[in-house]
């Protein structure tokens, strides 16, 4: 604001300097004594003037008009009559200057000049008052502390820091949520806290009515972020247990429930595993955010508790923990679908011959069966077997329906008929069996070219052998048995 007023003042002074009339000081001195005593260098009016002489031509007391734009000062001169044109002197006629007219012109010029000067001084005075007033206002506001809460703080509320938010935008969010008394107070505290430099987008639980410095400290504190869940590649919706150790492998619903907690005991609020499982089993697929390309297949899933399997993608996700279980699932499913679609999922059928949902199922198998370097080859085995209607026979599909799992499976496990056991039926499982990584999804969208029908991992380092010959595959299985990788814990 100060710079703007300074520029305005400089422009005003420049315009006024250009508007000043120019004058001849010697002529003004002569004009002040013209009525009493003739000036020495005036012409002798009794002498015959030279041919073509004009008495006004050498009148250096006349004001030199300045050039103005057509619209400038129009209002000041609208009422003045235009001067009559001066008649030309006939050749040989004797004329004398009209001394009274010259005096009147000088008087009018002095009067006009004085009026202009008064106008300039009035305008300068008004501008000075504005400049000084603006400066005083700024100084007063500069040294007036921003409105702030004195404390104590209240219950925490959830606010979102969006990707790309500036400190000013975060300050506005805090003020609108009632966390701080004013955005100015938060901003002043935020720019003094180096922790703001590493603030990540996400949801944060901050107490309302906090002093600004406390609100900033709470925002950058390690435990303030809520609603952040990391879904690892190959993770399933529900918990599973290891056959050998009994250790629980937490499912996605368990992880979401833990990430949803806000506040401290006894007021701590969380969405529970059971609430998520119940919401995830609803038949209102639109309310769950199920994408259009998956709706028909999900509607026919034989187990409602597993209908969202694979639709929450692997990765780090932020959700609003103040919402209901249904709200949370809808947010995660919707964002996951957008993430899947960004890979070209909807167009992948031109290459692999599968629907988008079938491609997602295949990607979940690739995730559980292959290391990253072998994913594209395993995807090709899946496509090749589906084309000839040969059962996939993946141990991962057997384990999916079991509460206790291991790499190897027993004859009893493989003999159980389930909608997911690919030993007991041809084709793909009823749903994905895990949340695939983007790498697995891309491998399934565009498998490596090959004729392989079989593969087996032959050692604990992950070496995997591929072949189109069943007899060669049997020899590879013997290598796996020798290494102990296929030993069962049961």
């Amino acid at each position: 604001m100060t710079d703007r007023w300074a520029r305005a003042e400089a422009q005003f002074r420049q315009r006024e300097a250009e508007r000043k009339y120019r004058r001849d000081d010697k002529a003004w001195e002569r004009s002040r004594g013209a009525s009493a005593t003739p000036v020495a260098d005036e012409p002798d009016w009794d002498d015959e003037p030279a041919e073509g002489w004009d008495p006004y031509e050498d009148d250096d007391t006349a004001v030199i008009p300045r050039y103005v734009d057509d619209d400038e000062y129009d209002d000041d001169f609208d009422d003045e009559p235009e001067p009559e044109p001066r008649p030309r002197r006939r050749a040989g006629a004797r004329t004398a200057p009209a001394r009274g007219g010259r005096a009147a012109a000088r008087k009018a010029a002095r009067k006009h000049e004085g009026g202009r000067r008064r106008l300039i001084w009035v305008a300068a005075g008004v501008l000075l008052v504005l400049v000084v007033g603006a400066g005083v206002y700024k100084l007063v506001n500069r040294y007036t502390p921003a409105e702030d809460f004195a404390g104590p703080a209240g219950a925490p509320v959830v606010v979102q820091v969006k990707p790309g938010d500036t400190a000013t935008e975060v300050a506005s969010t805090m003020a609108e949520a009632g966390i701080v008394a004013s955005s100015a107070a938060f901003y002043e505290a935020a720019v003094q806290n180096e922790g703001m430099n590493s603030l990540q987008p996400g949801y944060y639980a901050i107490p309302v009515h906090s002093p600004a410095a406390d609100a900033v400290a709470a925002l950058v504190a390690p435990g303030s972020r809520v609603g952040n869940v990391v879904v690892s590649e190959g993770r399933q919706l529900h918990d599973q247990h290891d056959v050998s150790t009994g250790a629980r492998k937490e499912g996605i619903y368990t992880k979401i429930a833990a990430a949803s907690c806000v506040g401290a005991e006894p007021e701590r609020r969380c969405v529970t595993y059971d609430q998520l499982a119940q919401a995830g089993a609803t038949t209102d697929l639109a309310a769950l955010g199920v994408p259009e390309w998956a709706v028909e297949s999900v509607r026919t899933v034989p187990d409602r508790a597993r209908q969202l399997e694979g639709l929450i993608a692997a990765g780090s996700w932020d959700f609003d923990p103040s919402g209901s279980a249904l709200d949370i699932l809808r947010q995660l499913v919707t964002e996951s679908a957008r993430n899947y679609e960004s890979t070209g999922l909807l167009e992948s059928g031109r290459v692999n011959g599968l629907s988008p949902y079938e491609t997602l199922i295949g990607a979940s198998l690739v995730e559980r069966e292959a290391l990253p370097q072998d994913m594209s080859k395993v995807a090709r085995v899946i496509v090749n077997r589906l084309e000839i209607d040969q059962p996939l026979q993946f141990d991962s599909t057997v384990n999916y329906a079991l509460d206790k799992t291991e790499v190897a499976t027993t004859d009893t496990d493989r003999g159980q008929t389930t909608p997911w056991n690919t030993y007991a039926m041809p084709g793909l499982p009823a749903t994905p069996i895990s949340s695939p990584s983007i790498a697995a999804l891309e491998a399934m969208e565009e498998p490596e070219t090959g004729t392989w029908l079989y593969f087996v991992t032959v050692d604990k380092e992950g070496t995997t052998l591929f072949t189109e010959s069943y007899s060669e595959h049997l020899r590879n299985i013997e290598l796996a048995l020798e290494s102990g990788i296929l030993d069962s814990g049961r």
Side-chain angles (χ1 to χ4, degrees), residues 377 381 384-385 388 390-394 451-456 464-474 476-477:
K377 285 185 175 182
V381 170
N384 288 345
R385 286 198 176 196
I388 62 175
Q390 179 177 337
L392 297 178
Q393 296 182 327
F394 287 174
T451 57
W452 310 292
L453 290 173
Y454 308 96
F455 69 92
V456 62
T464 302
L465 301 179
F466 294 82
T467 182
E468 60 180 314
S469 166
Y470 183 65
S471 58
E472 185 176 350
H473 177 60
L474 292 177
N476 292 337
I477 290 177

Side-chain angles (χ1 to χ4, degrees), residues 395-471:
D395 289 317
S396 57
T397 64
V398 176
N399 276 321
Y400 177 74
L402 302 177
D403 177 58
K404 295 183 178 181
T405 64
E406 60 180 343
V407 174
T409 58
T410 65
D411 291 339
T412 301
D413 295 335
R414 293 190 292 271
Q416 295 182 27
T417 301
T418 73
W420 293 273
N421 183 359
T422 57
Y423 276 93
M425 63 177 188
L428 292 166
T431 68
I433 62 170
S434 68
S435 293
S437 63
I438 293 299
L441 184 60
E442 291 176 340
M444 195 66 211
E445 290 170 354
E446 192 169 357
E448 185 172 332
T449 301
T451 57
W452 310 292
L453 290 173
Y454 308 96
F455 69 92
V456 62
T457 301
V458 297
D459 56 36
K460 295 181 180 179
E461 285 71 37
T463 304
T464 302
L465 301 179
F466 294 82
T467 182
E468 60 180 314
S469 166
Y470 183 65
S471 58

Side-chain angles (χ1 to χ4, degrees), residues 325-347:
L326 187 63
D327 293 334
I328 292 170
L329 291 178
R330 179 172 57 251
Q331 182 178 354
L332 293 174
V333 171
T334 300
E335 293 182 10
S336 295
R338 189 180 302 118
N339 200 39
Y340 287 149
E341 292 166 11
S342 68
T343 67
L345 173 65
L346 302 184
E347 295 79 31

Side-chain angles (χ1 to χ4, degrees), residues 312-375:
I312 299 178
S316 178
W317 299 104
D318 290 298
F319 63 87
D320 185 353
S322 60
S324 66
L326 187 63
D327 293 334
I328 292 170
L329 291 178
R330 179 172 57 251
Q331 182 178 354
L332 293 174
V333 171
T334 300
E335 293 182 10
S336 295
R338 189 180 302 118
N339 200 39
Y340 287 149
E341 292 166 11
S342 68
T343 67
L345 173 65
L346 302 184
E347 295 79 31
S348 61
R350 292 196 296 265
V351 177
N352 60 24
L354 305 175
S355 71
Y357 189 72
E358 289 172 335
T359 299
L360 184 64
I361 294 174
S364 73
L365 302 181
V366 171
E367 187 65 54
R368 296 301 297 266
E369 292 283 342
L371 294 175
Q373 65 269 22
D374 296 321
M375 284 182 172

Side-chain angles (χ1 to χ4, degrees), residues 57-402:
E57 187 175 352
D58 298 326
D59 183 7
D60 55 7
T61 66
V63 176
I64 301 174
R66 66 182 179 86
Y67 171 80
V68 297
D69 292 335
D70 291 341
D71 297 333
E72 192 174 359
Y73 298 125
D74 279 352
D75 294 338
D76 295 339
F77 299 102
D78 285 345
D79 299 331
E80 293 186 10
E82 294 185 2
E84 293 290 338
R86 185 168 67 251
R88 297 181 59 83
R89 182 172 61 86
R90 294 192 303 274
R94 291 175 61 88
T95 59
R99 293 178 180 272
R102 295 168 59 192
R106 290 194 297 272
K107 182 176 180 181
R110 288 195 297 270
K111 181 178 180 181
H112 182 67
E113 179 70 13
R116 287 189 66 259
R117 290 179 177 176
R118 285 193 296 273
L119 180 61
I120 292 172
W121 280 109
V122 169
V126 172
L127 182 60
L128 181 62
V129 170
L130 291 174
V131 172
V132 172
V136 171
Y137 177 81
K138 184 172 183 179
L139 287 173
V140 169
N141 282 275
R142 179 178 178 183
Y143 293 105
T144 300
E147 185 180 359
D148 199 3
F149 288 128
V157 295
V158 176
V159 293
Q160 183 183 13
V161 175
K162 299 177 181 178
D165 272 0
T166 63
T168 301
E169 291 167 333
V170 174
S172 296
T173 299
M174 296 295 171
E176 291 169 3
I179 293 173
V180 293
S182 67
S183 60
F186 182 91
Y187 180 85
E188 291 175 2
V191 295
Q192 299 178 58
N193 191 315
E194 293 183 355
M196 288 292 292
N197 296 328
S198 57
L199 184 66
Q200 298 295 314
Y203 293 88
Y204 293 82
I206 312 295
V208 296
H209 295 172
S210 295
D214 292 350
V216 174
L219 179 63
V220 300
S224 62
R225 189 174 179 182
V226 293
N228 176 250
V229 61
V230 177
V231 178
S232 58
E233 295 86 348
R235 186 77 56 172
Q236 299 174 345
L237 283 178
H238 302 281
D239 297 348
Q240 288 187 318
H241 297 81
D242 184 83
V243 167
S244 301
T245 65
R248 184 182 67 165
K249 184 177 182 179
E250 292 182 342
I252 295 174
Y253 284 160
T254 297
K255 286 187 168 295
I256 293 173
S260 72
C261 295
V262 176
E265 298 295 350
E267 291 82 16
R268 187 173 177 83
R269 307 186 310 274
C270 302
V271 174
T272 67
Y273 173 94
D274 290 338
Q275 289 172 331
L276 289 165
Q278 182 179 359
T282 181
T283 57
D284 188 350
L285 303 185
L288 284 170
V290 175
E292 184 178 348
W293 48 265
V295 168
E296 289 303 319
S297 297
V298 172
R299 186 174 287 123
T300 60
V301 169
D303 184 354
R304 292 287 118 208
R306 299 179 185 272
Q307 66 181 1
L308 291 186
E309 193 72 82
L311 292 176
I312 299 178
S316 178
W317 299 104
D318 290 298
F319 63 87
D320 185 353
S322 60
S324 66
L326 187 63
D327 293 334
I328 292 170
L329 291 178
R330 179 172 57 251
Q331 182 178 354
L332 293 174
V333 171
T334 300
E335 293 182 10
S336 295
R338 189 180 302 118
N339 200 39
Y340 287 149
E341 292 166 11
S342 68
T343 67
L345 173 65
L346 302 184
E347 295 79 31
S348 61
R350 292 196 296 265
V351 177
N352 60 24
L354 305 175
S355 71
Y357 189 72
E358 289 172 335
T359 299
L360 184 64
I361 294 174
S364 73
L365 302 181
V366 171
E367 187 65 54
R368 296 301 297 266
E369 292 283 342
L371 294 175
Q373 65 269 22
D374 296 321
M375 284 182 172
S376 189
K377 285 185 175 182
V378 171
R380 173 52 62 187
V381 170
I382 294 172
V383 171
N384 288 345
R385 286 198 176 196
L386 291 175
E387 287 179 349
I388 62 175
D389 203 28
Q390 179 177 337
L392 297 178
Q393 296 182 327
F394 287 174
D395 289 317
S396 57
T397 64
V398 176
N399 276 321
Y400 177 74
L402 302 177

